[in-house]
Structure formats: structure tokens, C-alpha cells
Amino acid sequence: MSISKPIIYQLFPRLFGNKNTKPVVDGSRSENGSGKFNDINNTALQEIKKLGITHVWYTGIIEHAIVEAYPDAGIPHGNPLVIKGKAGSPYAIKDYYDVNPDLAEDVDERMKEFQNLVARTHQNDMKVIIDFVPNHLAREYHSDAKPEGISDFGDQDDGSKAFSATNNFYYLPHQQLHLSDEIRNRFPHTDYQEYPAKATGNDQFTAHPQLNDWYETVKLNYGVDYQNGHSTHFDPIPDTWIKMKDILLYWAKKEIDGFRCDMAEMVPVEFWQWVIGEIKSVFPDILFIAEVYNPYLYETYIKNGKFDYLYDKVGLYDTLKGVIRGERAARDISQCWQSLNNLDEYMLRFLENHDEQRIASPYFASDPIKALPGMMLSLCMHRGPVMMYSGQEFAETGMEISGYSGSDGRSTIFDFWNLPEHQKWMNDGRFDGELLSDQQKKLQTAYRDILKYAQLPAIVFGEFYDIMWQNTDSNIFNSDKVYAFLRHTANQKLLVICNFDDHTQHLQVKIPTHALETMKIQRPVELYFVNKQSNAKHKLTCKEASEKGLSLNISGYQYLLFEIKHE
């Protein structure tokens, strides 16, 4: 793992660089335009770096199924019946060995343009993460860029068998694929033929996928017979494992620094243990981040699967969203680390990504300022990485009806569209923020102020100590709205306090005697609580700190960070 705390910036190039300010609903590529690799220029990367970012996650890089052809480049039209939206889903891969042609200025030079982006990112002292989508691929998968000696998925399959350990897909023998009327009615004059039908990406072993299924994708076979007791067939190593290892090596050799592994829990952990070991034997510093939602699988995917980090979605994200919305008490946050069984340092924290609703949308908080204490907490709670989604710092709402995507608080990943608030910062490629409102500039500054604390030694290396158990007197500490904790190393002790209320809180924050002992502060000494934001100092004896507490005021939707020094 990196010796610094990874701060990841998720960036969707198709949206990021699109300068069209008046896209039409369900518009085509020619009507609405698409952001390009080249739009992410040095100025953009320098500004991203100023946030405190260490890694950029470029989403939608590997070629996925698209509707509009590039005939001059030999890229045919895709069938819209099995493509979501005019632009297509970045998680329905059409060719694992190529990049999305929509992102290139010169389609014939698309891989070179991407590699130039990787080089620019590195030159600006940031690392590159891309998606690896291992569980499923597009129904019209076909690689025209695969290296010599590599065969396509399914080329050697026996479609007469529902399951075979040597097949890449799962089949519904002797059955034709029948898309539901809801799907077919979207394009009534279009047909799609598939025989025999294949199982769908969301583990639907049926020839009749529905609109809410991942009907545009096909499930990949890693040697698990789902229809016969989930029996496993891993010896000899399945062909799908070998194909996926080749793909990961192909991208690692292009100087990719990490992979965000889509729906990793839908792929057997035995594969991850094998393939991550294989890749890291050649590229020992490469990161593997898993999208895993089932907490019961966390330990297995870390200890056996060998992942560096996992999503902390159903724990901290869901809890913080409830706290920010006033639906849960701040003290509930303690349950998040308590349930992790010392796996905290492996958890990737975030408040936005492409799957989740935007903070500024009415589905989350409406007012983006409400999330700032949650962002500070996400950053400081443990040693694991934290992530931001492009546009989060400008209060992007995701409330536009764009085509396939409706007004749901998420920035579309299926349509040719834009990021209207982000465009004000982009300012036609200048990335100078000239068009931002004063409120947006304050929000961007607030994120910079939070992320600058990411590399404090106690945040990068330190231990975590929850002091909520000592602060239970509601007369002096409102645990419904305030959460407080310590981070500490031998040489640095920090106190973090987050207020999730819109009102100023008047608090007395007690530092338990046990916490002082844990931090190896020898009593009796004088303690100095130095405010890292204002440099103001509060002096207390150890006894006063543990019995009376540190008296302070914390404004609405704010955080305080103190360094504890002693003589």
C-alpha cells in the first residue's frame, strides 16, 4: 500500500469535458457531444491536484457497447435493444482490449490519446485508476483489438450445456432470448437474436430478462455452477480466469496504477486470491479496490481475496446519509467501526459516486454544505482512502432528465450529457472557475480545506479512538447531532468534532482517562488543545479534560480539528 492516504477523484470523461451547455433529451453523440481524453488537460489536472487528490479514477475507459458506429474505423452500429441509453453503459464492455472511441478526438488514435492522458496524470503527480468489469460483458461483445493468440470470450464454448467449467458463459440450451415487451417497445422496429440464450449479468438464469435486469449484459462463468448448489470447479484453472488475468496484465503494462473492480462480490473470492497474486507478482504496487456491498464478505475479500480496499457503502455511507438528512443520530456512527472487526483501514469512504445520489439533490441533502462535516469524518475516521466524485465540489445535482436516465439525483452514465455546475468551473476548457457563484467557490474551498488534512501523520498512520462512550450527558454534549473521536500516533494526537446540525452546538467534550493512557500521555501534565483552523489554544489539566471536558462552540454544519499537545 501507499505510504500516504489515497484521496481519489472519480472522473467520468464523457461528462467531464463536454462543453455543450444545451444538450437535448435523448440526444445523439452528434447532437449533444462527448467529453474527450484531450479535454482533461494539464490545467484541469493541476486544479484537481490542488484539491489534495492523489489518484484519479477514470470511469468508462474500456470500450463498452455504443449505438452509433464509426464506419471509417471499422466500429459497427450497436443494437439499441441491448444498449442502455444513446451513449451506453460503461459497465457493458464490448472489447476489454480497447478504449471507448467516443472519448477520442481521432478515433484511430484513441489508445494513444488515452495513454497520453495517463502520462499527463502522472506528470501532475497523481496516479491512475480505471474500472475492471469482471462479472459480465456486453451481449454484442467482440474484441477487434485483442493481442495475437488471444481468443474471444465464448469462442470455444459448448452452447448445448447450461454449465461447463470450460465455458465462458452460462447458457439456456435450446431457448431463444426473449427481451420483455418493456424493452422491445423502446425500439419497436428493431430485433435482436440470441440463440441459445445466455444468463444475464445480474445472475438471472432465464431467457426472459426484464427491464430492471442487467439485460444488456451476459454473466461470465468463473467455474461456479449456480444452478446446482453453487458447486465449484476451479481445478484446472477455468479459461475465464486466464482470460481475465491476461486483460489485467495488458492494462497494467500501460502504467495503470489501480483497478476499481466492479461488483467484485459476484465473482468467486478464489479467483481474486489467484489473480491479484499473479498481477502483484509482476506489479507489486498496483491497487485493487473492490465494490463489495455484503458486510459478511468483507473479511473474506480482504484476507483471502487480497484486495487493498473495499467500498464502505452499507456501513459509513448509509449511516452518514441518514445523519446528514436528520434521520439518524450521530452516535450511530460508532456502530460502523464496531461492526467492521478491525477492518477499518481497508475501507474506502465516500459521499458521492456514479451509483449514488448527488449531495445537492433533494434525494440527499439539497444543501451541499450539510455534508461537509460528513466529508471531514469520512477523511479522518481511519487510515483508508477517501473519494470524491467530479462535480461534488460544485454542488452538481444530477436532477436533469437526460434520456435513459430520469430526474433521480444521479448524473447519468447512459446518455450524452453534461455537468452544468462543473461546466462553470471548466469555463470552456480554461478550468479557472470564472463562472462559479460565490457559494460554489466557497464550497470548493471548503473541500480543499478538508482534504489538506489528509496527509497529517495521525490521519495517515494513526490509531482511531471513539470518545462517544464518555460523552453521553445530553446536557453538555448533543450526541444526536455531534460526533467526536481521536486519531493518534506517538508524535501527534488529534481531536476531531463534527456538527451535523444547522445550529451552533455548545459542548463540553470529555477526553476519557483511558484515551489519555492509550495515547501514552503521562499524567499529571498540562494539555493544550490547539485549533488547527484558527491556532487558538485551550489549556486543561488531564483531570479537567476527562471530568469536566473541553468547553467549546461549534457552528452549524462545521467541524473542529484540535492537535493535543502536552508538557
Side-chain angles (χ1 to χ4, degrees):
M1 288 187 191
S2 171
I3 59 170
S4 65
K5 185 181 181 76
I7 309 298
I8 300 168
Y9 189 84
Q10 183 186 7
L11 185 162
F12 196 36
R14 186 205 298 157
L15 298 179
F16 184 92
N18 194 350
K19 300 179 181 69
N20 185 348
T21 59
K22 295 181 179 180
V24 298
V25 174
D26 204 30
S28 66
R29 182 177 66 226
S30 57
E31 289 173 310
N32 285 0
S34 173
K36 308 294 183 183
F37 295 128
N38 292 350
D39 291 323
I40 310 165
N41 57 30
N42 276 312
T43 304
L45 291 167
Q46 287 160 12
E47 292 300 312
I48 290 170
K49 177 67 178 176
K50 287 178 184 177
L51 274 173
I53 302 302
T54 62
H55 294 67
V56 183
W57 164 19
Y58 294 111
T59 301
I61 297 301
I62 298 179
E63 184 180 0
H64 60 76
I66 59 174
V67 175
E68 287 186 76
Y70 288 92
D72 292 344
I75 299 173
H77 289 291
N79 191 315
L81 277 175
V82 287
I83 297 174
K84 289 183 176 177
K86 287 285 176 68
S89 167
Y91 298 100
I93 300 300
K94 182 190 173 187
D95 187 349
Y96 280 109
Y97 288 99
D98 208 344
V99 297
N100 180 4
D102 288 338
L103 305 180
E105 299 281 359
D106 181 345
V107 174
D108 290 331
E109 297 292 324
R110 58 191 180 275
M111 185 62 77
K112 182 179 180 181
E113 288 185 24
F114 171 65
Q115 290 186 270
N116 287 341
L117 172 60
V118 173
R120 280 198 302 280
T121 308
H122 289 158
Q123 287 160 9
N124 284 283
D125 196 28
M126 293 180 289
K127 296 185 177 181
V128 172
I129 296 171
I130 66 170
D131 288 284
F132 172 54
V133 187
N135 175 67
H136 49 267
L137 43 66
R139 289 208 177 263
E140 294 187 302
Y141 185 91
H142 172 72
S143 175
D144 53 18
K146 60 185 180 293
E148 188 174 351
I150 298 288
S151 63
D152 254 358
F153 287 91
D155 274 0
Q156 309 299 320
D157 280 9
D158 181 351
S160 69
K161 296 179 179 179
F163 170 81
S164 168
T166 60
N167 280 353
N168 296 135
F169 301 128
Y170 297 94
Y171 293 90
L172 290 307
H174 315 299
Q175 296 185 60
Q176 182 83 31
L177 181 71
H178 290 280
L179 299 171
S180 72
D181 288 345
E182 282 184 294
I183 300 169
R184 289 189 292 108
N185 288 342
R186 296 171 68 91
F187 300 97
H189 305 296
T190 303
D191 191 24
Y192 177 75
Q193 299 290 323
E194 182 177 291
Y195 182 88
K198 304 180 189 75
T200 302
N202 60 326
D203 292 359
Q204 295 303 302
F205 291 80
T206 173
H208 301 267
Q210 303 300 304
L211 184 64
N212 291 330
D213 290 321
W214 304 350
Y215 64 85
E216 82 282 21
T217 67
V218 174
K219 173 79 174 178
L220 282 162
N221 173 6
Y222 283 81
V224 180
D225 190 352
Y226 289 92
Q227 295 180 290
N228 288 286
H230 290 67
S231 61
T232 57
H233 305 261
F234 300 151
D235 188 11
I237 292 173
D239 182 67
T240 301
W241 291 28
I242 296 167
K243 280 182 164 62
M244 287 302 186
K245 183 189 83 168
D246 289 341
I247 290 162
L248 287 165
L249 285 172
Y250 172 85
W251 289 103
K253 289 173 184 175
K254 294 187 182 299
E255 300 188 346
I256 301 302
D257 302 293
F259 297 98
R260 177 267 187 189
C261 300
D262 183 69
M263 296 310 297
E265 68 183 84
M266 297 180 76
V267 174
V269 72
E270 292 87 352
F271 163 74
W272 294 115
Q273 182 178 43
W274 174 79
V275 81
I276 291 176
E278 290 283 308
I279 304 304
K280 289 202 173 194
S281 69
V282 184
F283 299 94
D285 296 326
I286 206 160
L287 284 180
F288 281 86
I289 300 169
E291 184 185 23
V292 175
Y293 293 124
N294 184 350
Y296 295 106
L297 296 177
Y298 287 177
E299 188 165 8
T300 297
Y301 275 75
I302 291 168
K303 294 186 177 177
N304 297 337
K306 306 300 182 185
F307 277 98
D308 295 289
Y309 302 114
L310 308 182
Y311 269 34
D312 192 1
K313 196 276 182 193
V314 301
L316 190 63
Y317 170 85
D318 284 349
T319 301
L320 279 176
K321 186 174 182 180
V323 174
I324 291 165
R325 288 172 56 84
E327 299 163 351
R328 299 189 65 171
R331 59 182 170 274
D332 290 350
I333 295 166
S334 295
Q335 299 168 11
C336 297
W337 67 264
Q338 289 167 350
S339 67
L340 284 172
N341 297 320
N342 298 316
L343 299 177
D344 245 300
E345 64 186 288
Y346 300 101
M347 306 310 290
L348 166 64
R349 270 64 192 256
F350 55 86
L351 289 178
E352 283 194 1
N353 65 40
H354 69 277
D355 284 321
E356 308 303 338
Q357 290 160 326
R358 292 285 195 172
I359 293 165
S361 79
Y363 293 100
F364 194 140
S366 295
D367 182 355
I369 297 298
K370 292 181 180 181
L372 293 178
M375 190 67 191
M376 182 66 175
L377 188 145
S378 298
L379 177 83
C380 295
M381 195 167 171
H382 221 287
R383 292 189 287 267
V386 72
M387 181 170 73
M388 285 184 60
Y389 188 26
S390 174
Q392 179 178 342
E393 71 273 45
F394 307 119
E396 206 66 56
T397 67
M399 290 300 292
E400 307 85 19
I401 297 173
S402 54
Y404 188 87
S405 292
S407 180
D408 62 359
R410 297 177 179 88
S411 296
T412 179
I413 63 171
F414 305 111
D415 305 295
F416 291 108
W417 203 249
N418 64 6
L419 295 172
E421 306 309 321
H422 157 90
Q423 283 183 329
K424 297 172 185 176
W425 169 66
M426 181 168 61
N427 192 16
D428 201 34
R430 298 178 186 86
F431 297 98
D432 58 8
E434 187 69 28
L435 304 179
L436 292 172
S437 68
D438 288 343
Q439 278 188 314
Q440 288 174 313
K441 290 176 181 177
K442 285 181 181 178
L443 185 65
Q444 183 187 36
T445 299
Y447 275 106
R448 283 181 180 168
D449 288 345
I450 289 171
L451 294 179
K452 73 184 179 185
Y453 299 121
Q455 306 310 335
L456 289 173
I459 303 300
V460 178
F461 305 110
E463 299 297 324
F464 166 82
Y465 191 106
D466 190 332
I467 62 173
M468 295 297 286
W469 66 274
Q470 186 76 352
N471 290 281
T472 58
D473 186 344
S474 60
N475 292 317
I476 59 173
F477 189 101
N478 183 1
S479 64
D480 282 341
K481 298 297 182 181
V482 180
Y483 190 81
F485 58 97
L486 302 166
R487 294 295 307 278
H488 60 96
T489 64
N491 297 317
Q492 187 176 57
K493 283 81 175 166
L494 300 175
L495 168 65
V496 183
I497 307 165
C498 298
N499 178 15
F500 293 92
D501 195 29
D502 59 347
H503 293 94
T504 296
Q505 294 288 327
H506 310 284
L507 305 171
Q508 288 174 232
V509 183
K510 296 180 181 179
I511 310 298
T513 299
H514 180 263
L516 298 175
E517 293 171 349
T518 301
M519 292 190 293
K520 295 183 170 52
I521 295 176
Q522 299 296 324
R523 294 169 292 159
V525 293
E526 300 289 329
L527 299 177
Y528 295 88
F529 292 81
V530 182
N531 188 315
K532 297 288 284 185
Q533 295 134 286
S534 68
N535 254 350
K537 294 182 181 179
H538 301 260
K539 179 181 175 183
L540 293 174
T541 65
C542 290
K543 185 175 181 180
E544 287 172 332
S546 59
E547 293 183 1
K548 181 182 176 183
L550 173 65
S551 295
L552 54 87
N553 296 326
I554 179 170
S555 301
Y557 303 131
Q558 291 299 311
Y559 60 87
L560 292 173
L561 177 64
F562 293 94
E563 184 162 7
I564 306 172
K565 299 185 177 182
H566 55 89
E567 294 179 352

